[in-house]
Amino acid sequence: MTESLLAGLNPEQRAAVTLPHESALILAGAGSGKTRVLTTRIAYLIQTHQASPHNILAVTFTNKAAKEMLTRLAAMLPINVSGMWIGTFHGLCNRLLRTHYRDANLPQLFQILDSQDQQAAIKRLLKSLNIDDEKYPPKSVQNFINSNKEAGHRAGDLSAHDPFTRRLIELFAAYDEQCQREGVVDFAELLLRCYELLSRNEALREHYRNRFTHILVDEFQDTNRLQYRWLHLLAGPQAAVFAVGDDDQSIYAFRGANVGNMREFERDFNARQIIRLEQNYRSHGHILNAANALIKQNSERLGKNLWTSEGEGEPIRVFEAASDNEEADFIVDEVKNLQREEGVNLSDIALLYRSNAQSRVLEHKLFNAGVPYRVYGGLRFFERQEIKHALAYLRLIANQNDDGAFLRVVNFPPRGIGARTIENLQDASQAAGVSLWQAASGGAVSGRGGASLQAFVHLIAQAREATQGLPLAELVEHVLAVSTLIEHYEASKGESERVENLNELVNAAAAFEQEVRQEEEIEGLAGFLSHASLEAGEHQAGSGQDALQLMTVHAAKGLEFYAVFVSGLEEGLFPHDQSFNDADGIQEERRLMYVAITRARRRLYLTHAQSRMLHGQVRYGLASRFLEELPQNVLKAVGSRSRPMASSWNTGGWNDGWRSNSRSYDEPAPFRPKDDTPVSGGFHIGQNVSHAKFGIGVVIGSEGYGDDVRLQIKFAVGTKWLSLKYAKLDPA
DNA sequence: TAACATTCCGTTTTT
DNA sequence: CGGAATGTTA
């Protein structure tokens, strides 16, 4: 009966899925069917009655991966998977801490700080202690605290010999006290608290150890020290830990990921064997050969060689441009050709770069050429200012001691509570050792500001009263209404998007109640607020339109595309300057390049430019060393198709290695909206337009696509960004 | 308090 | 160069 589950698996995949009850490391190469193995393993355990859904714990890094796993599992098994413990490290810890909040010494409705909130909390702390934030930048303090927590250290565990570090440790301690007082918990704290809870409380630990006989971990190479120890603690001696990962795709060392965990796993978890998944179902041969050859240059690998039963496929195309502009022109041309002549969907083409700053030239050219594109990264839904404000009201209703939330909205929208009043309030609360809310409701501040404060306290208290027992969506609606946030944004020009987002928040609450709630088994407001912190939402509202995918190489991990462009392959950019210091840095960059290459199914372009505008200066970069580390026989130097290479330069022809002397795009070619070039939103860069209020102007920039296009226009009165959706623009 | 000027900074990023 | 984050002024 398990045959249908196992059908179509290759021998290694099958071996992994059907392993006996023991810990094992699965080295899963790019495109080797990792997620399939993971989910099939779970289904297999359940179907063969080696475990019930109750006995399984599966950990991922992103909510997306967790959701994907649940979806696939639901398709494989005739059971309700929604109650299963499948989630992110942070999500699962949150669940545990909510269940055992008393043992964890937390208020029932503790709130979760995202990085933004945490930084704000630190700034506040520094201010209250009168500490110079020049000498102790909040960012560094935050980093100090988080990296220590991620190493499992509390302030009390640390010692220092220099006064500077001693001060940092004091700040660490003071920060934790502040959080405890306010009933808030940051991301690292979520894990550390949970770890401490389990290690301190033996009964609880044994309970979960007995329950989770099978623990499965995705992206194991990305675990940090604390996550590793958490797994080790929870697994105990009996559990079988199924760790899936790829050391060659470890690209998050900079944020604490420790590849060493993979090497130590065998010893610490008594793993009997390592299973290698090396058959790649994604890419053609040349692409894999390039990837294999590149990654071979790294030391201390666990070792792995990808292969495919498909053919070699096309050579990898290498293009050298004279400038970043020319590079972008080339890419735009090739994308159009792929789309028009080969019928490739734009959404099946990715444009990758090392750092976000590189997207701007590319976007500019794409917009001008009328190629729809979507940029990944940037602000996400729950990170937007207006949403944060709304959430702060909600947080205050759930927990009045949340000073961060209090300060965020006490005078937003403006209600006559100035900096002076707030200072007085803070002094009073500090003196009395109570929260801002308590101080305010106790009438700690007198005068006009004091009266306004009373009104605010009253507003929140009323809202709290009025929303008791209301369904989540109605609760949110009510709070939005009394906060007057929407009115505020409606009254100010150019903020209509914020109004839309606030209305969308009500939908998000309704959706949460319907879908997520049963899965997370954390109810009501606290659940929704956790959800908002732990899952910040989509980067951009997907317009659903077929669009070229622009993103950093980091963001591309786990994805695949028919065609991939890796741009900016220059020394200093990719590999990045700041990786030159240590050998590990370069190795991580190389792994990054490995990730980039292995995203491509059929076609891969590697491009670099001799000169590039960076930080307002022209930089001249040599071709990336990674280009030279690739086997030359899988590469093909290309020029542009639409404008042949200047033959007088091209002494060597097209195929002598990857170097080419293309000068084809050097010439100006300012705008070419003539013949067949479609133009986004009916406008193009350089075009003269007229606006009712600002008069005549010229389009000098753009961003977004579809119904989200914004144009940068230089008017006599100055340069403005206008949304095509709202601004009335006419060609002039 | 909002609009405007100035300064500073500049991988990668999920939770 | 361009943005974010301050600082300054009406």
Side-chain angles (χ1 to χ4, degrees), chain A residues 95-142:
Chain A
R95 200 157 161 177
L96 238 110
L97 291 175
R98 297 271 168 205
T99 313
H100 307 288
Y101 66 92
R102 281 198 200 87
D103 292 314
N105 189 24
L106 285 169
Q108 183 170 19
L109 297 184
F110 70 85
Q111 302 300 309
I112 299 168
L113 303 184
D114 66 17
S115 329
Q116 272 181 53
D117 301 332
Q118 185 187 30
Q119 210 182 330
I122 290 169
K123 276 186 187 160
R124 196 150 46 79
L125 179 78
L126 293 175
K127 217 168 170 188
S128 78
L129 296 176
N130 269 320
I131 286 171
D132 182 8
D133 60 1
E134 296 270 277
K135 204 172 172 207
Y136 293 89
K139 263 240 143 51
S140 325
V141 178
Q142 182 179 29

Short mmCIF file of all heavy atoms in Angstrom, two decimals, chain A residues 95-142:
data_model
loop_
_atom_site.label_atom_id
_atom_site.label_comp_id
_atom_site.label_asym_id
_atom_site.label_seq_id
_atom_site.Cartn_x
_atom_site.Cartn_y
_atom_site.Cartn_z
N ARG A 95 4.05 28.89 19.70
CA ARG A 95 2.97 27.99 20.08
C ARG A 95 3.23 27.38 21.46
O ARG A 95 2.36 27.32 22.31
CB ARG A 95 2.92 26.88 19.03
CG ARG A 95 1.65 26.11 18.93
CD ARG A 95 1.61 25.52 17.54
NE ARG A 95 0.68 24.42 17.44
CZ ARG A 95 0.44 23.79 16.28
NH1 ARG A 95 1.07 24.15 15.18
NH2 ARG A 95 -0.43 22.80 16.23
N LEU A 96 4.44 26.96 21.65
CA LEU A 96 4.83 26.36 22.92
C LEU A 96 4.74 27.36 24.07
O LEU A 96 4.25 27.06 25.15
CB LEU A 96 6.26 25.81 22.82
CG LEU A 96 6.37 24.34 23.11
CD1 LEU A 96 6.70 23.56 21.86
CD2 LEU A 96 7.45 24.13 24.16
N LEU A 97 5.24 28.55 23.81
CA LEU A 97 5.25 29.56 24.87
C LEU A 97 3.84 30.03 25.21
O LEU A 97 3.54 30.36 26.35
CB LEU A 97 6.13 30.75 24.47
CG LEU A 97 7.63 30.47 24.39
CD1 LEU A 97 8.39 31.68 23.85
CD2 LEU A 97 8.18 30.06 25.75
N ARG A 98 2.97 30.08 24.21
CA ARG A 98 1.58 30.46 24.48
C ARG A 98 0.92 29.41 25.37
O ARG A 98 0.17 29.73 26.27
CB ARG A 98 0.77 30.57 23.18
CG ARG A 98 1.23 31.63 22.22
CD ARG A 98 0.59 32.96 22.45
NE ARG A 98 1.28 33.98 21.67
CZ ARG A 98 1.31 35.27 21.97
NH1 ARG A 98 0.66 35.72 23.03
NH2 ARG A 98 1.98 36.12 21.23
N THR A 99 1.21 28.15 25.05
CA THR A 99 0.60 27.07 25.82
C THR A 99 1.10 27.07 27.26
O THR A 99 0.35 26.81 28.19
CB THR A 99 0.94 25.71 25.17
OG1 THR A 99 0.70 25.81 23.77
CG2 THR A 99 0.09 24.59 25.74
N HIS A 100 2.37 27.35 27.43
CA HIS A 100 2.97 27.27 28.77
C HIS A 100 3.43 28.64 29.24
O HIS A 100 4.51 28.78 29.79
CB HIS A 100 4.15 26.30 28.75
CG HIS A 100 3.80 24.96 28.19
ND1 HIS A 100 3.02 24.04 28.86
CD2 HIS A 100 4.09 24.38 27.00
CE1 HIS A 100 2.86 22.96 28.11
NE2 HIS A 100 3.50 23.15 26.96
N TYR A 101 2.60 29.64 29.00
CA TYR A 101 3.06 31.00 29.27
C TYR A 101 3.41 31.22 30.74
O TYR A 101 4.32 31.97 31.07
CB TYR A 101 2.04 32.03 28.79
CG TYR A 101 0.72 32.03 29.51
CD1 TYR A 101 0.52 32.85 30.62
CD2 TYR A 101 -0.32 31.21 29.10
CE1 TYR A 101 -0.70 32.86 31.28
CE2 TYR A 101 -1.53 31.20 29.76
CZ TYR A 101 -1.72 32.02 30.86
OH TYR A 101 -2.92 32.02 31.51
N ARG A 102 2.71 30.53 31.64
CA ARG A 102 3.03 30.72 33.05
C ARG A 102 4.41 30.16 33.38
O ARG A 102 5.23 30.83 34.00
CB ARG A 102 1.99 30.03 33.93
CG ARG A 102 0.72 30.83 34.06
CD ARG A 102 -0.12 30.40 35.24
NE ARG A 102 -1.49 30.86 35.03
CZ ARG A 102 -2.39 30.17 34.36
NH1 ARG A 102 -2.10 28.98 33.85
NH2 ARG A 102 -3.60 30.65 34.19
N ASP A 103 4.65 28.95 32.92
CA ASP A 103 5.96 28.34 33.17
C ASP A 103 7.08 29.15 32.54
O ASP A 103 8.21 29.15 33.00
CB ASP A 103 6.00 26.92 32.60
CG ASP A 103 5.08 25.99 33.37
OD1 ASP A 103 5.13 26.03 34.61
OD2 ASP A 103 4.30 25.26 32.73
N ALA A 104 6.75 29.82 31.44
CA ALA A 104 7.77 30.60 30.74
C ALA A 104 7.87 32.01 31.32
O ALA A 104 8.66 32.82 30.85
CB ALA A 104 7.44 30.68 29.26
N ASN A 105 7.05 32.28 32.34
CA ASN A 105 7.06 33.58 32.99
C ASN A 105 6.74 34.71 32.01
O ASN A 105 7.42 35.72 31.95
CB ASN A 105 8.42 33.83 33.67
CG ASN A 105 8.41 35.08 34.53
OD1 ASN A 105 7.35 35.51 34.99
ND2 ASN A 105 9.58 35.68 34.72
N LEU A 106 5.67 34.50 31.27
CA LEU A 106 5.24 35.52 30.31
C LEU A 106 3.77 35.81 30.53
O LEU A 106 3.02 34.95 31.00
CB LEU A 106 5.43 35.01 28.88
CG LEU A 106 6.85 34.98 28.33
CD1 LEU A 106 6.89 34.22 27.02
CD2 LEU A 106 7.38 36.40 28.15
N PRO A 107 3.35 37.03 30.22
CA PRO A 107 1.91 37.28 30.27
C PRO A 107 1.21 36.50 29.16
O PRO A 107 1.81 36.19 28.14
CB PRO A 107 1.80 38.79 30.02
CG PRO A 107 3.08 39.17 29.36
CD PRO A 107 4.11 38.22 29.84
N GLN A 108 -0.05 36.19 29.40
CA GLN A 108 -0.76 35.34 28.44
C GLN A 108 -0.78 35.98 27.05
O GLN A 108 -0.63 35.29 26.05
CB GLN A 108 -2.19 35.12 28.90
CG GLN A 108 -2.96 34.19 27.99
CD GLN A 108 -4.30 33.79 28.57
OE1 GLN A 108 -4.82 34.46 29.47
NE2 GLN A 108 -4.86 32.70 28.08
N LEU A 109 -0.93 37.28 27.02
CA LEU A 109 -1.02 37.95 25.72
C LEU A 109 0.29 38.65 25.35
O LEU A 109 0.27 39.76 24.83
CB LEU A 109 -2.17 38.95 25.73
CG LEU A 109 -3.57 38.34 25.94
CD1 LEU A 109 -4.64 39.41 25.84
CD2 LEU A 109 -3.84 37.23 24.93
N PHE A 110 1.39 38.01 25.63
CA PHE A 110 2.67 38.64 25.28
C PHE A 110 2.73 38.93 23.79
O PHE A 110 2.18 38.20 22.97
CB PHE A 110 3.86 37.77 25.71
CG PHE A 110 4.05 36.50 24.93
CD1 PHE A 110 4.77 36.49 23.75
CD2 PHE A 110 3.54 35.29 25.40
CE1 PHE A 110 4.96 35.31 23.03
CE2 PHE A 110 3.73 34.11 24.70
CZ PHE A 110 4.45 34.12 23.51
N GLN A 111 3.38 40.03 23.46
CA GLN A 111 3.47 40.45 22.06
C GLN A 111 4.85 40.18 21.50
O GLN A 111 5.83 40.15 22.24
CB GLN A 111 3.17 41.94 21.95
CG GLN A 111 1.82 42.34 22.49
CD GLN A 111 0.70 41.64 21.76
OE1 GLN A 111 0.65 41.66 20.54
NE2 GLN A 111 -0.19 41.00 22.51
N ILE A 112 4.89 40.00 20.20
CA ILE A 112 6.16 39.69 19.55
C ILE A 112 6.69 40.92 18.83
O ILE A 112 5.97 41.56 18.05
CB ILE A 112 5.99 38.54 18.56
CG1 ILE A 112 5.51 37.29 19.30
CG2 ILE A 112 7.29 38.26 17.83
CD1 ILE A 112 5.04 36.18 18.41
N LEU A 113 7.94 41.25 19.09
CA LEU A 113 8.57 42.38 18.41
C LEU A 113 9.25 41.90 17.14
O LEU A 113 10.04 40.96 17.19
CB LEU A 113 9.64 43.01 19.31
CG LEU A 113 9.27 43.52 20.69
CD1 LEU A 113 10.48 44.17 21.35
CD2 LEU A 113 8.13 44.51 20.61
N ASP A 114 8.97 42.53 16.04
CA ASP A 114 9.79 42.23 14.87
C ASP A 114 11.03 43.11 14.94
O ASP A 114 11.20 43.88 15.88
CB ASP A 114 8.99 42.43 13.57
CG ASP A 114 8.60 43.87 13.30
OD1 ASP A 114 9.19 44.77 13.93
OD2 ASP A 114 7.71 44.09 12.47
N SER A 115 11.93 43.00 13.96
CA SER A 115 13.21 43.71 14.07
C SER A 115 13.03 45.22 14.19
O SER A 115 13.75 45.88 14.94
CB SER A 115 14.11 43.43 12.88
OG SER A 115 13.88 42.17 12.39
N GLN A 116 12.07 45.73 13.45
CA GLN A 116 11.77 47.17 13.55
C GLN A 116 11.39 47.55 14.97
O GLN A 116 11.92 48.51 15.53
CB GLN A 116 10.56 47.50 12.67
CG GLN A 116 10.81 47.85 11.23
CD GLN A 116 9.48 48.17 10.53
OE1 GLN A 116 8.68 48.98 10.98
NE2 GLN A 116 9.22 47.48 9.44
N ASP A 117 10.44 46.78 15.51
CA ASP A 117 9.96 47.06 16.87
C ASP A 117 11.11 46.95 17.87
O ASP A 117 11.22 47.74 18.80
CB ASP A 117 8.88 46.06 17.28
CG ASP A 117 7.69 46.07 16.35
OD1 ASP A 117 7.43 47.12 15.74
OD2 ASP A 117 7.04 45.03 16.22
N GLN A 118 11.94 45.96 17.64
CA GLN A 118 13.04 45.74 18.56
C GLN A 118 13.99 46.94 18.53
O GLN A 118 14.44 47.41 19.58
CB GLN A 118 13.81 44.46 18.17
CG GLN A 118 14.91 44.12 19.17
CD GLN A 118 15.78 42.96 18.70
OE1 GLN A 118 15.98 42.76 17.51
NE2 GLN A 118 16.29 42.20 19.65
N GLN A 119 14.26 47.41 17.36
CA GLN A 119 15.16 48.54 17.25
C GLN A 119 14.56 49.78 17.92
O GLN A 119 15.27 50.52 18.61
CB GLN A 119 15.48 48.84 15.79
CG GLN A 119 16.86 49.44 15.64
CD GLN A 119 17.18 49.79 14.21
OE1 GLN A 119 16.69 49.14 13.29
NE2 GLN A 119 17.97 50.81 14.00
N ALA A 120 13.27 49.95 17.75
CA ALA A 120 12.61 51.08 18.40
C ALA A 120 12.71 50.94 19.92
O ALA A 120 12.93 51.92 20.63
CB ALA A 120 11.15 51.16 17.96
N ALA A 121 12.55 49.72 20.38
CA ALA A 121 12.63 49.48 21.83
C ALA A 121 14.03 49.81 22.35
O ALA A 121 14.19 50.37 23.43
CB ALA A 121 12.28 48.03 22.14
N ILE A 122 15.03 49.47 21.57
CA ILE A 122 16.41 49.74 21.98
C ILE A 122 16.68 51.24 21.98
O ILE A 122 17.29 51.78 22.91
CB ILE A 122 17.39 48.98 21.07
CG1 ILE A 122 17.30 47.49 21.37
CG2 ILE A 122 18.82 49.48 21.29
CD1 ILE A 122 18.03 46.62 20.38
N LYS A 123 16.19 51.93 20.97
CA LYS A 123 16.36 53.38 20.93
C LYS A 123 15.76 54.02 22.17
O LYS A 123 16.34 54.92 22.78
CB LYS A 123 15.67 53.95 19.68
CG LYS A 123 16.52 53.88 18.44
CD LYS A 123 15.84 54.59 17.28
CE LYS A 123 16.59 54.36 15.98
NZ LYS A 123 15.76 54.60 14.80
N ARG A 124 14.60 53.55 22.50
CA ARG A 124 13.89 54.07 23.67
C ARG A 124 14.70 53.82 24.93
O ARG A 124 14.84 54.69 25.79
CB ARG A 124 12.54 53.36 23.73
CG ARG A 124 11.51 53.94 24.60
CD ARG A 124 10.10 53.65 24.03
NE ARG A 124 9.89 52.27 23.62
CZ ARG A 124 9.64 51.28 24.47
NH1 ARG A 124 9.60 51.50 25.77
NH2 ARG A 124 9.44 50.06 24.03
N LEU A 125 15.25 52.63 25.01
CA LEU A 125 16.06 52.26 26.17
C LEU A 125 17.27 53.18 26.30
O LEU A 125 17.56 53.70 27.38
CB LEU A 125 16.52 50.81 26.05
CG LEU A 125 17.40 50.29 27.18
CD1 LEU A 125 16.56 49.97 28.40
CD2 LEU A 125 18.19 49.07 26.75
N LEU A 126 17.95 53.38 25.20
CA LEU A 126 19.15 54.21 25.21
C LEU A 126 18.80 55.63 25.66
O LEU A 126 19.53 56.25 26.44
CB LEU A 126 19.79 54.26 23.81
CG LEU A 126 20.39 52.95 23.32
CD1 LEU A 126 20.87 53.09 21.88
CD2 LEU A 126 21.54 52.51 24.20
N LYS A 127 17.68 56.09 25.20
CA LYS A 127 17.25 57.43 25.56
C LYS A 127 16.97 57.51 27.06
O LYS A 127 17.38 58.45 27.74
CB LYS A 127 15.99 57.79 24.76
CG LYS A 127 15.96 59.24 24.33
CD LYS A 127 14.85 59.41 23.31
CE LYS A 127 14.56 60.85 22.99
NZ LYS A 127 13.34 60.91 22.15
N SER A 128 16.26 56.51 27.55
CA SER A 128 15.89 56.56 28.96
C SER A 128 17.12 56.45 29.86
O SER A 128 17.11 56.89 31.00
CB SER A 128 14.88 55.46 29.29
OG SER A 128 15.54 54.22 29.41
N LEU A 129 18.16 55.85 29.36
CA LEU A 129 19.38 55.73 30.16
C LEU A 129 20.38 56.83 29.83
O LEU A 129 21.50 56.83 30.33
CB LEU A 129 20.04 54.36 29.92
CG LEU A 129 19.23 53.14 30.36
CD1 LEU A 129 19.94 51.86 29.98
CD2 LEU A 129 18.99 53.18 31.86
N ASN A 130 19.95 57.74 28.99
CA ASN A 130 20.82 58.85 28.59
C ASN A 130 22.13 58.38 27.99
O ASN A 130 23.20 58.86 28.35
CB ASN A 130 21.11 59.75 29.78
CG ASN A 130 20.09 60.86 29.86
OD1 ASN A 130 19.70 61.41 28.83
ND2 ASN A 130 19.63 61.15 31.05
N ILE A 131 22.03 57.43 27.12
CA ILE A 131 23.25 56.91 26.50
C ILE A 131 23.40 57.47 25.09
O ILE A 131 22.43 57.52 24.33
CB ILE A 131 23.23 55.37 26.50
CG1 ILE A 131 23.50 54.91 27.94
CG2 ILE A 131 24.25 54.80 25.56
CD1 ILE A 131 23.30 53.46 28.15
N ASP A 132 24.58 57.88 24.81
CA ASP A 132 24.90 58.47 23.52
C ASP A 132 24.74 57.44 22.42
O ASP A 132 25.49 56.46 22.37
CB ASP A 132 26.35 58.98 23.57
CG ASP A 132 26.74 59.66 22.28
OD1 ASP A 132 25.86 59.86 21.42
OD2 ASP A 132 27.93 59.97 22.12
N ASP A 133 23.78 57.65 21.53
CA ASP A 133 23.58 56.63 20.50
C ASP A 133 24.56 56.78 19.33
O ASP A 133 24.47 56.07 18.34
CB ASP A 133 22.12 56.58 20.02
CG ASP A 133 21.66 57.89 19.43
OD1 ASP A 133 22.46 58.83 19.36
OD2 ASP A 133 20.48 57.96 19.03
N GLU A 134 25.49 57.71 19.47
CA GLU A 134 26.59 57.76 18.52
C GLU A 134 27.59 56.68 18.90
O GLU A 134 28.11 55.95 18.06
CB GLU A 134 27.29 59.12 18.59
CG GLU A 134 26.43 60.29 18.20
CD GLU A 134 26.54 60.57 16.71
OE1 GLU A 134 27.49 61.25 16.30
OE2 GLU A 134 25.65 60.08 15.96
N LYS A 135 27.81 56.61 20.19
CA LYS A 135 28.79 55.64 20.68
C LYS A 135 28.19 54.23 20.72
O LYS A 135 28.90 53.25 20.52
CB LYS A 135 29.26 56.05 22.09
CG LYS A 135 30.62 55.47 22.42
CD LYS A 135 31.18 56.00 23.71
CE LYS A 135 32.45 55.22 24.06
NZ LYS A 135 32.68 55.20 25.51
N TYR A 136 26.92 54.18 20.98
CA TYR A 136 26.23 52.88 21.00
C TYR A 136 25.09 52.91 19.99
O TYR A 136 23.93 53.10 20.38
CB TYR A 136 25.71 52.58 22.40
CG TYR A 136 26.81 52.36 23.41
CD1 TYR A 136 27.35 53.42 24.12
CD2 TYR A 136 27.33 51.08 23.63
CE1 TYR A 136 28.38 53.23 25.03
CE2 TYR A 136 28.35 50.88 24.54
CZ TYR A 136 28.88 51.96 25.23
OH TYR A 136 29.89 51.76 26.13
N PRO A 137 25.40 52.75 18.72
CA PRO A 137 24.32 52.80 17.71
C PRO A 137 23.32 51.67 17.97
O PRO A 137 23.72 50.52 18.19
CB PRO A 137 25.06 52.56 16.39
CG PRO A 137 26.51 52.74 16.69
CD PRO A 137 26.69 52.43 18.13
N PRO A 138 22.03 52.01 17.95
CA PRO A 138 20.99 51.01 18.21
C PRO A 138 21.18 49.74 17.38
O PRO A 138 20.96 48.63 17.89
CB PRO A 138 19.72 51.73 17.79
CG PRO A 138 20.01 53.17 17.98
CD PRO A 138 21.48 53.34 17.72
N LYS A 139 21.61 49.91 16.15
CA LYS A 139 21.82 48.74 15.29
C LYS A 139 22.85 47.78 15.88
O LYS A 139 22.66 46.57 15.86
CB LYS A 139 22.31 49.21 13.91
CG LYS A 139 21.21 49.31 12.88
CD LYS A 139 21.56 48.37 11.70
CE LYS A 139 20.36 47.69 11.09
NZ LYS A 139 19.25 48.45 10.69
N SER A 140 23.94 48.35 16.39
CA SER A 140 24.99 47.50 16.94
C SER A 140 24.54 46.84 18.23
O SER A 140 24.84 45.67 18.50
CB SER A 140 26.26 48.29 17.23
OG SER A 140 26.45 49.28 16.28
N VAL A 141 23.81 47.61 19.03
CA VAL A 141 23.31 47.05 20.28
C VAL A 141 22.37 45.89 19.96
O VAL A 141 22.44 44.82 20.57
CB VAL A 141 22.58 48.14 21.11
CG1 VAL A 141 22.00 47.53 22.38
CG2 VAL A 141 23.52 49.28 21.44
N GLN A 142 21.53 46.12 18.98
CA GLN A 142 20.58 45.09 18.56
C GLN A 142 21.34 43.84 18.12
O GLN A 142 21.00 42.72 18.48
CB GLN A 142 19.73 45.63 17.42
CG GLN A 142 18.67 44.67 16.92
CD GLN A 142 17.84 45.27 15.80
OE1 GLN A 142 18.31 46.12 15.03
NE2 GLN A 142 16.60 44.86 15.69
#
